[in-house]
């Protein structure tokens, strides 16, 4: 009747359709084709309260190490250790901070998981070690499918133990992905997850401690049933043909713990989340420190094992805006550690778009510049005046004492890190309708510039705040009254706000990487009197709120 505030979680890995009042008579219809839908209804005093209860139910978040909050550079197409080293050196030479570099499928031997191409990376262990001494982590991609290739120990063991998904006839299901024909591990069984997780030992033995899981929807180019000739496929940039994919998903089967067979179509949405669970649980056993892990596909609950990135976006202003809109939703689902491909994956990013995008990514836990093969090179130093990029990315490092502390507190309390304005200013009708301003932790409000050619933007302040202008060198703080104001934001500056009676600890200097950053040596910005800072060594596993200390602002 409109008086009750409640949340509804439709828990099913099958296909669900939401009809949000298409008839216009106020009816919302949710339908699910597979049996076994579990519906959770959560009553609450307000929407934020409902979300907090939900987060309490789904469990605590994955906790990444400090370095995962640094800036990362990635690209599909980095072909060798030398090329990646050049990219890194260029950042260091120009003073653009950098903590990690991603290795896309190009590092593998013929796109086979748990292998390294020995021609392109002839001495991987040494290379990983060398990069680490420069404060740089390497982050390999891992795909869901295992190449059909007798002699490969992972393939052989999977076959022998019956760990792969099967087809209608009960044989191992075959699908073409990057390595050619592959089998999909049946992540729905604990035994298979444990086995798959163990395979990451290949990487941890090389000294690696960061990973991204891809193609785990699972994405399929063609199958034993669907010929290559009938190829139009989303992954290849052609128009999406949903019916084709649905036919694929109906063609392969999982075996549950109790022996029941279910088609992937009935459990499709949980596959990627369970791959991430497999890797997260494996890495927990393999490493005595925290690691970086993020996945393309996931499901409610899998935030306990890794973060997510929002997949293949494009270098457009629309996608930048989508990135902003996605952040609160992801946080409501527990995916605190998330972010988009900064600068956009497909298409060519111009200088203005990349700078504005970086100014948003400064505030998202995952801050990674990634682009597709064949697009314009998107590393910051490829553009005019790289010092402008350095200015924006340096803000991230200056803010890390705050961002890391707020992230960890939110994760440990099972709360959100990035919130919509509506949650921070309950009852403020104007704030409720604003989607292009966000709250980051308990002290910061951001109002990023999201339009091409804009010199600035209109900002709404529900309460008086401190306006902070970062110009690449220092923070200029001024008081700002409640209400609407117009601000000018040059491309090499970032403006953000500190909430009334709140403080933000900032590092006194920037650094080449988080390894050189002292999170305890801070200056306090804002009008508050005290800030509770979460602080640890950045990699220890036993994190707790007891690691908080109170910082007092001297009058
Ligand atoms: O079919 O590994 O979303 O980030 O660069 C494309 C190549 C497969 C999709 C991922 C993207 C990655 C790309 N992958």
């Amino acid at each position: 009747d409109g008086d009750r505030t409640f949340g509804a979680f439709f828990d099913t890995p099958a296909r669900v359709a939401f009809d949000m009042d298409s008839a216009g008579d106020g009816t919302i219809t949710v339908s699910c084709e597979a049996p076994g839908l579990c519906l959770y209804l959560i009553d609450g005093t307000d929407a934020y309260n409902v979300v907090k209860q939900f987060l309490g139910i789904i469990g605590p978040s994955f906790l990444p190490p400090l370095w995962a909050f640094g800036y990362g550079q990635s690209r599909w197409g980095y072909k060798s250790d030398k090329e990646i080293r050049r990219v890194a050196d260029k950042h260091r030479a120009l003073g653009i901070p950098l903590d990690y570099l991603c290795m896309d499928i190009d590092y593998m031997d013929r796109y086979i998981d748990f292998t390294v191409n020995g021609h392109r990376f002839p001495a991987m262990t040494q290379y990983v070690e060398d990069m680490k001494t420069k404060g740089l982590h390497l982050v390999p991609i891992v795909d869901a499918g295992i190449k059909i290739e007798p002699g490969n120990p992972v393939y052989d063991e999977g076959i022998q133990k019956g760990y792969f998904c099967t087809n209608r006839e009960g044989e191992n299901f075959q699908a073409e992905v990057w390595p050619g024909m592959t089998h999909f591990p049946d992540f729905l069984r604990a035994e298979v997850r444990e086995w798959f997780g163990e395979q990451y030992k290949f990487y941890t033995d090389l000294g690696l401690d960061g990973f991204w899981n891809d193609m785990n929807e699972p994405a399929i180019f063609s199958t034993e049933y669907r010929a290559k000739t009938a190829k139009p496929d989303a992954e290849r940039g052609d128009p999406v043909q949903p019916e084709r994919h649905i036919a694929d998903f109906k063609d392969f089967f999982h075996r549950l713990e109790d022996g029941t067979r279910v088609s992937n179509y009935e459990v499709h949405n949980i596959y990627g989340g369970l791959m991430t669970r497999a890797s997260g649980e494996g890495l927990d056993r393999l490493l005595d420190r925290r690691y970086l892990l993020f996945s393309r596909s996931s499901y409610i609950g899998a935030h306990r094992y890794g973060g997510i990135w929002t997949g293949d976006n494009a270098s457009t202003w629309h996608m930048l805006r989508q990135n902003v809109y996605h952040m609160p939703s992801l946080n409501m689902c527990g995916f605190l550690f998330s972010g988009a491909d900064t600068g956009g994956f497909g298409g060519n990013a111009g200088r203005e778009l990349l700078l504005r995008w970086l100014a948003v990514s400064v505030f998202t836990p995952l801050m990674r510049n990634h682009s597709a093969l064949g697009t314009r090179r998107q590393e910051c130093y490829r553009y005019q005046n790289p010092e402008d990029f350095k200015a924006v990315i340096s803000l991230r490092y200056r803010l890390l004492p705050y961002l890391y502390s707020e992230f960890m507190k939110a994760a440990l309390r099972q709360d959100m890190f990035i919130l919509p304005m509506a949650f921070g200013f309950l009852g403020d009708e104007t704030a409720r309708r604003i989607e292009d301003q966000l709250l980051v932790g308990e002290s910061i409000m951001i109002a990023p510039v999201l339009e091409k050619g804009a010199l600035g933007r209109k900002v709404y302040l529900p309460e008086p705040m401190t306006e902070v202008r970062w110009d690449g060198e220092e923070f200029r703080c001024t008081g700002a009254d409640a209400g609407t104001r117009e601000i000018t934001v040059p491309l090499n500056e970032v403006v953000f706000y500190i909430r009334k009676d709140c403080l933000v600890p900032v590092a006194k200097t920037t650094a080449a990487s988080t390894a050189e950053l002292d999170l305890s040596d801070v200056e306090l910005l804002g009008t508050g009197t005290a800030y509770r800072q979460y602080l640890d060594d950045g990699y220890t596993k036993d994190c707790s709120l007891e690691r908080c200390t109170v910082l007092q602002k001297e009058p």
Side-chain angles (χ1 to χ4, degrees):
D1 56 10
D3 292 339
R4 205 173 136 194
T5 302
F6 68 97
F9 169 43
F10 298 85
D11 190 9
T12 169
R15 193 183 207 195
V16 193
F18 292 84
D19 179 336
M20 306 306 280
D21 191 21
S22 66
D25 63 0
T27 311
I28 291 173
T29 311
V30 181
S31 45
C32 175
E33 292 169 36
L37 168 82
C38 188
L39 173 64
Y40 292 76
L41 287 174
I42 303 173
D43 274 303
T45 48
D46 55 67
Y48 186 22
N49 172 270
V50 168
V51 168
K52 277 196 278 202
Q53 291 184 55
F54 179 64
L55 294 175
I57 295 167
I58 62 175
S61 165
F62 152 76
L63 299 172
L66 174 63
W67 67 263
F69 292 84
Y71 178 58
Q73 178 61 51
S74 178
R75 181 172 172 85
W76 177 10
Y78 286 151
K79 286 218 165 21
S80 64
D81 52 0
K82 288 192 197 65
E83 183 172 0
I84 293 178
R85 199 190 295 267
R86 272 198 301 275
V87 172
D89 289 348
K90 210 66 199 182
H91 283 80
R92 287 284 180 264
L94 291 165
I96 302 171
L98 187 68
D99 264 82
Y100 61 96
L101 294 130
C102 293
M103 299 191 291
D104 208 318
I105 48 174
D106 322 270
Y107 81 83
M108 299 179 189
D109 170 23
R110 292 169 297 138
Y111 303 141
I112 304 174
D113 280 347
F114 316 114
T115 68
V116 166
N117 181 316
H119 298 290
R120 296 174 166 195
F121 295 83
M124 191 60 117
T125 314
Q126 187 58 46
Y127 183 55
V128 172
E129 190 53 41
D130 287 353
M131 296 298 268
K132 241 171 223 177
T133 60
K134 298 183 187 182
L136 294 165
H137 294 251
L138 290 163
V139 179
I141 196 169
V142 183
D143 284 359
I146 299 296
K147 183 178 173 63
I148 300 177
E149 188 173 69
N152 176 322
V154 183
Y155 169 80
D156 288 344
E157 195 182 349
I159 291 287
Q160 189 215 325
K161 301 210 165 133
Y163 285 164
F164 297 123
C165 294
T166 50
N167 63 14
R168 268 174 214 287
E169 292 76 39
E171 295 147 358
N172 293 317
F173 175 73
Q174 304 191 17
E176 193 213 343
V177 205
W178 288 108
M181 279 302 187
T182 67
H183 290 325
F184 291 130
D186 194 353
F187 295 119
L188 273 75
R189 273 176 286 151
E191 190 189 346
V192 180
R193 287 198 296 273
E194 197 181 321
W195 166 74
F196 192 82
E198 271 163 29
Q199 306 311 318
Y200 282 68
K201 185 168 189 298
F202 173 80
Y203 300 116
T204 55
D205 282 351
L206 293 170
L208 297 164
D209 53 4
F211 308 88
W212 47 313
N213 286 345
D214 190 23
M215 306 299 275
N216 52 10
E217 290 75 16
I220 293 173
F221 294 161
S222 68
T223 62
E224 50 183 319
Y225 303 105
R226 175 159 62 90
K228 234 178 172 175
T229 45
K231 194 152 39 193
D233 191 293
E235 288 292 333
R236 301 214 160 162
D238 300 322
V240 189
Q241 301 225 344
E243 300 74 27
R244 277 230 165 75
H245 290 290
I246 285 168
D248 287 342
F249 306 145
K250 287 182 175 165
D251 277 337
F252 78 95
F253 295 81
H254 301 269
R255 185 159 61 76
L256 307 183
E257 312 279 356
D258 65 1
T260 329
R261 258 161 71 95
V262 292
S263 76
N264 178 263
Y265 183 68
E266 295 169 83
V267 296
H268 183 74
N269 289 341
I270 209 167
Y271 187 77
L274 290 176
M275 176 191 181
T276 300
R277 176 171 181 184
S279 11
E281 289 180 337
L283 289 165
D284 260 334
R285 292 190 298 268
L286 290 163
L287 294 170
D288 55 6
R289 57 183 188 276
R290 282 180 259 158
Y291 47 83
L292 168 59
L293 177 62
F294 57 97
S295 176
R296 192 167 75 175
S297 174
S298 203
Y299 189 75
I300 291 296
H303 70 295
R304 292 187 299 239
Y305 313 104
I308 60 175
W309 97 100
T310 55
D312 299 358
N313 61 4
S315 302
T316 65
W317 292 88
H318 169 74
M319 285 292 188
L320 167 58
R321 184 172 288 272
Q322 290 299 313
N323 183 186
V324 173
Y325 295 172
H326 287 156
M327 294 314 294
S329 317
L330 291 169
N331 275 259
M332 287 180 213
C333 295
F335 291 98
L336 269 47
F337 192 82
S338 51
D341 287 350
T342 301
F345 177 71
N348 300 322
R351 182 174 189 278
E352 183 193 3
L353 179 67
L354 183 54
L355 279 165
R356 293 299 195 204
W357 207 316
L358 285 164
V360 169
S361 300
V362 158
F363 299 95
T364 67
L366 176 68
M367 184 189 192
R368 182 181 74 135
N369 180 337
H370 180 54
S371 54
L373 188 70
T375 62
R376 179 187 296 163
R377 294 269 164 169
Q378 204 165 284
E379 298 86 9
C380 296
Y381 57 81
R382 309 257 178 198
Y383 297 83
Q384 257 174 24
N385 298 342
E387 61 275 18
D388 291 347
F389 294 84
K390 175 185 172 182
V392 176
I393 298 169
S394 298
L395 171 61
R396 166 69 160 219
Y397 285 71
R398 294 289 296 268
L399 280 175
L400 273 177
Y402 172 78
L403 296 172
Y404 182 68
S405 162
E406 289 300 304
F407 179 95
M408 294 299 281
K409 286 194 293 183
L412 293 168
R413 284 186 197 133
Q414 293 178 223
D415 202 337
M416 294 167 69
F417 170 63
I418 297 187
L419 297 87
M421 292 287 283
F423 283 16
F425 302 98
L426 295 163
D428 182 322
E429 284 304 310
T430 310
R432 202 161 80 98
R433 281 189 291 271
I434 295 180
E435 286 186 289
D436 62 357
Q437 296 180 203
L438 298 173
L439 298 171
V440 180
E442 60 191 24
S443 307
I444 288 183
M445 178 185 86
I446 61 168
V449 178
L450 306 175
E451 263 169 60
K452 183 178 167 60
L455 300 177
R457 60 165 288 168
K458 198 168 89 180
V459 185
Y460 173 66
L461 276 65
E463 63 188 15
M465 295 187 184
T466 303
E467 185 175 281
V468 187
R469 182 173 292 273
W470 165 254
D471 64 7
E473 295 291 328
E474 52 187 5
F475 296 98
R476 292 170 202 280
C477 298
T478 45
D481 294 337
T484 300
R485 58 202 280 118
E486 284 285 343
I487 56 167
T488 302
V489 188
L491 281 179
N492 57 358
E493 294 188 5
V494 181
V495 173
F496 63 94
Y497 295 85
I498 301 178
R499 291 184 63 178
K500 189 166 158 276
D501 302 326
C502 289
L503 289 175
V504 171
V506 296
K508 289 191 180 139
T509 55
T510 183
S513 74
T514 54
E516 291 174 21
L517 199 65
D518 184 355
L519 297 188
S520 67
D521 188 20
V522 298
E523 200 181 308
L524 293 166
L525 309 179
T527 57
T529 50
Y531 177 78
R532 240 164 78 82
Q533 185 184 21
Y534 175 92
L535 205 57
D536 62 16
D537 57 16
Y539 60 86
T540 302
K541 274 189 180 180
D542 58 329
C543 307
S544 98
L545 287 170
E546 273 150 43
R547 295 186 193 268
C548 290
T549 51
V550 177
L551 307 177
Q552 304 277 355
K553 178 140 178 171
E554 282 152 34

